[in-house]
Amino acid sequence: MVAAVLSAPGAAGNSAGFSDETAEGSVGPDIARVEVSNDDAGNVTFRILLANGASLAANQGIWLSLDTDENPATGGYIMGVGRGGFDYALDTGRPVAPRLCTRMQEVGGTFGGFMALDPGSLRCSYPAPGVVVFQINRSDLGASNGVNLVAVGEVYDAAQSRSLFGDQAPGCGVTWNYKIYIGSSPPPPAPQPCTTPPPPPPPPPPPSPRNTTIVLSPTRTSVPVSVPVKTPIVDLTVTASKPLVGLDLVKLMNVPAGRTSSSSSSGLTPALRITKHRSARKVTVHVTGVKAGTLRFRVKAKRVPRRTGLKVTVRQRYK
Ligand SMILES: [Ca+2]
Ligand SMILES: [Ca+2]
């Protein structure tokens, strides 16, 4: 049961060959291989090769079960062949000369089974010893684009009214699949099921807080500070080592990257929104609408009795 794709890249239509074990011990003809091909007109040829080139005996035939919509959930199950889902069957027919062949369609009803149809484009032939050929246009197989298939060896009873199924190729309840390609290349793949687009990548982690230490003194009660910023939200915290009267953070401006002027703060930071809380030991300023660049401000106090260290913490956030 080895499948081998025989089609060359770019060749019109498609072709494939499937090999079956031989001498499995079944009654009737022993199928060794099934070769399938189709042309661009949709004519599909099934070549059933019998083991050792043996020709069909007068009481033997070949039955080909076809799941022509490649859907095991539709169609019928017959006499233990495969796992069902067969929509059509091709049969060599009764051993008359010349042999006829029959196109059958699965029918439901009380007993299920297959009903003979007008053969349509079906032709069968026996071009060499041990070779049975069915040819049929896909239009007579439900406009099939591909088939799951099982070939079965048959033995007719003496009255030629019933047949006994023997060798199945492939056996074990499985099927072979053949794609009917029209044109030089396979059809485009079926649309992929809807998938949720991947979430956008998270923003880069904000820089860790930057600390700056400044010193105020009785003779220097106001100190300029400039810190680089990258995020739209910045929390500035000024913490004094000792309480200071009038401790404040003032003249805050945002100089976007590429702008060097600090002579006028009015035009530089039109979207800046500031919330400030003050105490004698600490000033916190929450700033939003910050553009990447620099934040400049002054830390001051009204009265600085003696040299006092202050820690300026800059915490940057995206939200
Ligand atoms: Ca076999
Ligand atoms: Ca089916």
Side-chain angles (χ1 to χ4, degrees):
M1 289 185 286
V2 178
V5 175
L6 303 177
S7 59
N14 192 17
S15 61
F18 309 95
S19 294
D20 187 42
E21 291 92 355
T22 57
E24 296 107 311
S26 305
V27 299
D30 180 3
I31 298 165
R33 184 172 172 80
V34 177
E35 295 176 347
V36 193
S37 60
N38 75 273
D39 62 18
D40 280 351
N43 296 307
V44 186
T45 301
F46 301 91
R47 287 170 55 90
I48 290 91
L49 309 181
L50 304 183
N52 305 315
S55 294
L56 288 177
N59 68 333
Q60 295 178 343
I62 296 293
W63 171 283
L64 188 60
S65 278
L66 299 173
D67 173 10
T68 55
D69 60 2
E70 300 176 273
N71 181 359
T74 61
Y77 180 81
I78 183 168
M79 299 176 74
V81 175
R83 292 200 174 93
F86 299 111
D87 310 290
Y88 287 86
L90 307 179
D91 191 21
T92 52
R94 299 296 180 254
V96 296
R99 280 181 187 259
L100 302 175
C101 44
T102 309
R103 177 174 69 119
M104 301 191 187
Q105 186 173 25
E106 192 277 339
V107 291
T110 307
F111 300 105
F114 287 74
M115 176 185 71
L117 299 175
D118 180 283
S121 58
L122 176 63
R123 302 288 182 270
C124 52
S125 60
Y126 307 86
V131 181
V132 177
V133 176
F134 296 97
Q135 187 178 70
I136 189 169
N137 192 274
R138 60 186 284 274
S139 62
D140 291 323
L141 295 175
S144 176
N145 292 313
V147 295
N148 296 315
L149 66 104
V150 177
V152 186
E154 287 180 287
V155 178
Y156 304 120
D157 69 5
Q160 297 188 9
S161 60
R162 299 178 56 191
S163 61
L164 180 68
F165 279 14
D167 187 28
Q168 292 188 24
C172 306
V174 297
T175 55
W176 288 318
N177 179 260
Y178 176 79
K179 300 295 185 192
I180 299 172
Y181 292 154
I182 304 298
S184 59
S185 57
Q192 295 297 305
C194 292
T195 55
T196 308
S208 55
R210 292 172 56 94
N211 294 332
T212 303
T213 301
I214 59 173
V215 175
L216 296 182
S217 66
T219 57
R220 194 168 191 243
T221 60
S222 175
V223 172
V225 181
S226 174
V227 294
V229 288
K230 292 181 178 176
T231 63
I233 304 174
V234 178
D235 294 314
L236 301 172
T237 305
V238 179
T239 309
S241 59
K242 290 183 280 288
L244 293 174
V245 175
L247 178 64
D248 204 354
L249 188 159
V250 298
K251 296 187 177 176
L252 178 68
M253 69 173 117
N254 180 201
V255 182
R259 303 285 294 272
T260 55
S261 170
S262 61
S263 60
S264 168
S265 63
S266 59
L268 296 174
T269 58
L272 215 56
R273 292 178 297 279
I274 300 170
T275 308
K276 183 159 68 175
H277 297 281
R278 296 171 56 203
S279 72
R281 288 286 297 270
K282 183 189 276 189
V283 180
T284 59
V285 178
H286 176 71
V287 193
T288 62
V290 179
K291 287 184 166 53
T294 308
L295 272 183
R296 296 179 184 176
F297 53 91
R298 295 188 77 87
V299 175
K300 70 167 192 174
K302 280 183 180 167
R303 196 164 65 83
V304 183
R306 54 183 177 275
R307 184 181 170 85
T308 304
L310 299 98
K311 186 173 74 176
V312 179
T313 302
V314 182
R315 182 164 173 259
Q316 302 189 52
R317 293 187 284 137
Y318 288 95
K319 60 181 180 179

